[in-house]
Amino acid sequence: MIIKDVLCPFCGCLCDDLAVEVENNKVVDVKHACKIGASKIRGHDRIKAPMMRDDKNGEFREVSYEEAINESARILAKSKRPLLYGWANGLCEMMKKGILLTEEVGGIIDNTASVCHGPSALGVHEKGLPTGTLGQFANRADVVVFWGCNPVQAHPRHMGRYSVFNKGFFANKGRRSRKVVVFDVRKTDTANLADEYVQVKPGEDYMVLSALRAIVAGKGDVVPDTVGGVPKEKLAEVAETMKAAKFGIVYFGMGLTQSRGKYKNIDNAVSLITELNAHGKHSIIPMRGHYNVTGFGNVCAWETGFINAVDMSRGYPYYNPGETCSNDLLMREEIDAAFIIAGDAGAHFPAQSIARMGKVPVIQVDPFHNPTTEMANIVIPTKVSGVELEGTAYRMDGVSLRMRKLVDVDFPSDEEVLDKIIAKVREIKGASS
Amino acid sequence: MDLKATFISGRTVDQGCNLENKTSKAYFDAAGYCEMNSADAGKLGVKPGNNVKVTTDFGSVVVPLKICEGNPDGLIFIPMGPWANAVVDPNTCGCGMPGYKGIPAVVNPSSDTAPTMQQLMARLK
């Protein structure tokens, strides 16, 4: 059986045109997906059953779901400062339950954006976000800028479907309709496909953005001969290209959010878009990683008023990213338990913050064995969302789409596990109050 | 011989393909290496596949070398994952985001064995 119009559960492109062949409840072929999406849908070795251990250096023993869930609830209920992290690799329905659980235990909920586009949100708080949908960009953009992102490696179908090679209603000659500019510290595979590659010195994007703003605003005389390793003449050329756009779009990635300046880089990039909007129509959008990281931002915002790093210990939502983001909490050795679901803190946090996870009880809810498993005391395997479970996810541009279920499995969903933990936490807290 | 460098981390297709396969050799091959250009490798006297030790103020890690000519002189890259995490800057400067890019580093040839994912995590508990 071939299932058509399948959505890809890997990156923020949320490609919705996959065809997956299923035989005897097994995926046997994946068409139209990129290598990463196909790899995810085809699947890898699973954690077979819930597991627990008292000593993090000891061996796991298989336990029942009931035992693992009850012990998880006991740890969370008695914890004074639990961190509930991950979420982006799951569906919106489970995120809502996660926020409820955080409220019940007076914990802090944070998602993978805090080590991805969290700083982008801070930049947006400062300056707003003149943006649009991937459909608009696909149909209209004649100048496409990739800044500190490498879609060839991280979002492999992005350039083909939405940004560069596709034919659009107004950009009807595909690649020939568009000028492509790449700003990066190294010549990536994406830069190799560009009309212009601008090599920026590491950590100097802010200055390059400022110089471009000055040139676009007609104040180029204040710009020195070289900025961030880029000759002024080259910046002037690129500024002319951007000013000449009928519809310009800037896609940006970790090159801006993880390097010096962090959220201030985004603030400045949005200001550049504002300057450019005096000349043509311009937009900017972050290249989101996990397929539903945008979903968490939306669910968390409508439930709590904030997009991530929400502290519920006061009895109302409190948000202050340098204080309530996962890595700050871990580095201050503030948390006394960690609940990691649909995100792999163990693989993607600095070693020093992971070391704090080594000292407190760690509960992991995930289908796969990964570095977080190595730090865990309790592991609860669940369904792979978007392959074994249907539900809602948000594309990187904020468009919500319905993920499909392709095969049936016996594992519970994240949502079912969260429901049971919430019920048990209420029982424990009710009994002790 | 030392090479003074600037370290960055980032995604790759192969690292992405093995995100749910992190106990495998394929994940090590996809995320446990350090990339620099051939001129820098020549200065260090190392060849692709030789191990190098990358050291920052925040830690060190031994990984095999790969060549990527797209890297300018003095820029080294380790894909995001446990090997990169051993040397990244945990300070978020008050915004939640650690320093995963732009970290001063020193690279040396090394005869040590590159650690597996499990060995790296075992150091932290």
Side-chain angles (χ1 to χ4, degrees):
Chain A
M1 174 180 62
I2 293 175
I3 306 174
K4 290 186 177 164
D5 303 327
V6 170
L7 273 75
C8 177
F10 176 69
C11 84
C13 289
L14 219 57
C15 295
D16 53 8
D17 61 343
L18 277 50
V20 179
E21 190 174 349
V22 175
E23 267 177 28
N24 300 322
N25 203 34
K26 295 263 184 278
V27 173
V28 294
D29 196 14
V30 181
K31 288 196 168 68
H32 313 316
C34 71
K35 193 177 165 189
I36 309 179
S39 172
K40 173 152 185 181
I41 293 168
R42 284 174 179 279
H44 299 286
D45 286 342
R46 303 287 290 273
I47 297 171
K48 293 180 175 57
M51 305 185 292
M52 283 172 44
R53 61 182 172 183
D54 298 323
D55 176 358
K56 286 180 196 284
N57 289 302
E59 294 292 314
F60 279 112
R61 64 180 196 282
E62 280 193 14
V63 297
S64 66
Y65 273 97
E66 190 183 9
E67 190 179 349
I69 284 168
N70 287 350
E71 182 59 12
S72 301
R74 195 189 63 76
I75 289 169
L76 290 171
K78 76 166 191 177
S79 165
K80 288 191 167 55
R81 198 107 173 105
L83 168 67
L84 295 89
Y85 172 85
W87 310 104
N89 216 9
L91 299 164
C92 293
E93 291 77 1
M94 68 77 125
M95 294 166 177
K96 193 173 167 177
K97 294 284 163 61
I99 291 159
L100 182 57
L101 173 61
T102 309
E103 211 173 344
E104 293 284 343
V105 299
I108 301 142
I109 189 162
D110 191 22
N111 80 324
T112 56
S114 74
V115 291
C116 194
H117 275 291
S120 307
L122 295 177
V124 172
H125 294 338
E126 304 239 322
K127 287 278 161 60
L129 190 71
T131 192
T133 66
L134 293 179
Q136 286 174 308
F137 309 151
N139 280 306
R140 293 174 182 274
D142 57 346
V143 173
V144 178
V145 176
F146 295 104
W147 200 311
C149 60
N150 185 8
V152 170
Q153 296 283 332
H155 301 83
R157 293 186 75 209
H158 190 280
M159 296 172 88
R161 286 202 90 201
Y162 301 117
S163 53
V164 175
F165 299 106
N166 57 299
K167 285 185 182 167
F169 189 82
F170 297 104
N172 57 11
K173 294 193 178 72
R175 177 69 182 87
R176 282 183 295 138
S177 313
R178 311 177 206 272
K179 280 279 229 185
V180 178
V181 184
V182 170
F183 290 82
D184 210 309
V185 297
R186 60 189 193 125
K187 195 165 191 193
T188 60
D189 296 333
T190 303
N192 283 324
L193 298 171
D195 298 299
E196 275 295 339
Y197 165 51
V198 184
Q199 187 164 303
V200 181
K201 278 190 183 170
E204 300 196 9
D205 300 84
Y206 189 93
M207 286 174 266
V208 175
L209 284 160
S210 298
L212 278 174
R213 284 178 61 193
I215 295 168
V216 170
K219 299 189 170 73
D221 52 330
V222 302
V223 174
D225 291 344
T226 306
V227 180
V230 188
K232 182 177 177 179
E233 300 77 54
K234 182 126 183 177
L235 290 173
E237 259 174 52
V238 173
E240 281 310 311
T241 301
M242 293 174 92
K243 275 166 66 180
K246 284 186 186 147
F247 192 110
I249 172 68
V250 175
Y251 297 99
F252 69 96
M254 304 296 95
L256 288 187
T257 65
Q258 292 184 338
S259 58
R260 188 168 58 162
K262 297 178 182 173
Y263 73 98
K264 282 294 180 188
N265 292 332
I266 314 310
D267 176 333
N268 214 6
V270 174
S271 296
L272 172 63
I273 298 303
T274 307
E275 302 281 358
L276 285 165
N277 269 318
H279 300 275
K281 168 66 188 163
H282 291 264
S283 292
I284 183 166
I285 184 171
M287 296 284 268
R288 307 305 301 269
H290 285 95
Y291 73 91
N292 199 21
V293 66
T294 309
F296 184 86
N298 279 274
V299 174
C300 199
W302 78 56
E303 293 283 335
T304 73
F306 305 111
I307 58 121
N308 72 337
V310 184
D311 181 353
M312 299 286 199
S313 64
R314 291 160 169 80
Y316 57 84
Y318 169 80
Y319 164 79
N320 187 20
E323 179 192 351
T324 56
C325 273
S326 303
N327 276 284
D328 295 277
L329 290 162
L330 289 161
M331 289 302 290
R332 288 200 307 272
E333 302 196 340
E334 207 171 286
I335 67 153
D336 58 357
F339 181 84
I340 313 290
I341 178 168
D344 184 3
H348 297 133
F349 283 1
Q352 285 92 331
S353 19
I354 302 168
R356 177 59 182 171
M357 282 168 45
K359 295 187 181 68
V360 301
V362 173
I363 303 151
Q364 182 190 30
V365 180
D366 203 286
F368 302 102
H369 187 130
N370 57 34
T372 301
T373 318
E374 298 292 314
M375 310 308 284
N377 299 78
I378 303 175
V379 180
I380 305 176
T382 48
K383 286 186 165 86
V384 179
S385 301
V387 177
E388 300 162 354
L389 182 70
E390 70 169 66
T392 311
Y394 278 64
R395 204 166 64 186
M396 63 166 72
D397 55 354
V399 171
S400 66
L401 296 163
R402 189 78 178 167
M403 308 290 293
R404 302 186 69 168
K405 182 178 77 167
L406 309 175
V407 292
D408 284 309
V409 292
D410 290 334
F411 293 99
S413 67
D414 294 329
E415 195 181 350
E416 285 163 341
V417 168
L418 287 164
D419 270 336
K420 286 183 177 162
I421 294 177
I422 291 166
K424 194 68 191 174
V425 163
R426 283 176 174 163
E427 192 184 311
I428 296 167
K429 290 210 163 218
S432 62
S433 62
Chain B
M1 169 71 196
D2 285 356
L3 177 76
K4 286 199 170 60
T6 301
F7 163 88
I8 60 168
S9 60
R11 272 202 191 285
T12 72
V13 164
D14 289 337
Q15 173 263 343
C17 288
N18 288 287
L19 277 179
E20 271 131 17
N21 193 29
K22 290 181 182 136
T23 54
S24 66
K25 169 80 165 47
Y27 181 58
F28 173 86
D29 291 343
Y33 65 85
C34 174
E35 228 176 43
M36 65 181 71
N37 69 28
S38 54
D40 282 344
K43 284 181 211 160
L44 271 178
V46 286
K47 293 190 171 134
N50 290 169
N51 280 358
V52 293
K53 184 176 186 181
V54 178
T55 305
T56 68
D57 285 349
F58 314 102
S60 65
V61 68
V62 173
V63 282
L65 173 80
K66 279 193 186 178
I67 301 293
C68 174
E69 301 299 359
N71 291 1
D73 291 348
L75 191 88
I76 60 168
F77 171 89
I78 301 180
M80 61 191 283
W83 294 271
N85 292 341
V87 297
V88 299
D89 178 0
N91 187 355
T92 82
C93 303
C95 78
M97 171 67 86
Y100 290 105
K101 296 185 197 284
I103 302 158
V106 175
V107 191
N108 306 108
S110 175
S111 53
D112 293 346
T113 308
T116 63
M117 179 276 277
Q118 287 88 344
Q119 286 166 338
L120 275 172
M121 301 313 287
R123 292 183 193 174
L124 306 175
K125 55 185 176 177

